Amino acid sequence: MKLMGSDINLDQGVYVDSMGAVLNPDMVEIENGGCVGRDALLFGHIYEGEEGKVKFGKIRVGEGGFVGSRAVVMPGVRVESWGNLSALSLAMKEEIIRSR
């Protein structure tokens, strides 16, 4: 992912299991200690509206944030520091996943 343009701090404990798909890796940012589980789908763009215009949105996983296995993350989603998107969950466009 880093070689494809993602902003990832590999030397700061970021963990990414095998990815199901990363569409637009340049739109993904994972901070220190962030974790993305097995087969999670990170979508950096969607087609929206009747004309099917492409909309982009940066996906951010904050410090210690977690995206579970097989979760789906749409454009513009922000997993805040220590936030948790559970396995098999869907984070809709521009949703904010907060810590408790």
Side-chain angles (χ1 to χ4, degrees):
M1 287 175 58
K2 188 167 183 74
L3 294 174
M4 294 186 289
S6 296
D7 185 8
I8 299 174
N9 296 325
L10 293 174
D11 59 338
Q12 297 295 319
V14 169
Y15 177 76
V16 179
D17 203 334
S18 62
M19 296 298 300
V22 178
L23 302 177
N24 307 98
D26 55 321
M27 303 296 287
V28 176
E29 177 182 315
I30 304 174
E31 294 181 9
N32 305 344
C35 177
V36 178
R38 184 175 192 86
D39 294 331
L41 303 175
L42 307 178
F43 291 96
H45 76 280
I46 56 172
Y47 297 97
E48 193 171 71
E50 291 181 22
E51 299 90 34
K53 292 184 179 181
V54 179
K55 302 280 182 150
F56 295 91
K58 190 167 199 100
I59 297 168
R60 292 183 174 91
V61 178
E63 183 177 352
F66 177 76
V67 176
S69 296
R70 297 187 178 169
V72 177
V73 179
M74 300 305 284
V77 168
R78 190 173 80 224
V79 179
E80 291 188 338
S81 293
W82 308 105
N84 181 352
L85 179 63
S86 299
L88 300 170
S89 295
L90 168 64
M92 295 299 290
K93 184 179 76 169
E94 299 179 4
E95 187 173 347
I96 299 171
I97 309 300
R98 302 185 191 280
S99 65
R100 293 187 183 241

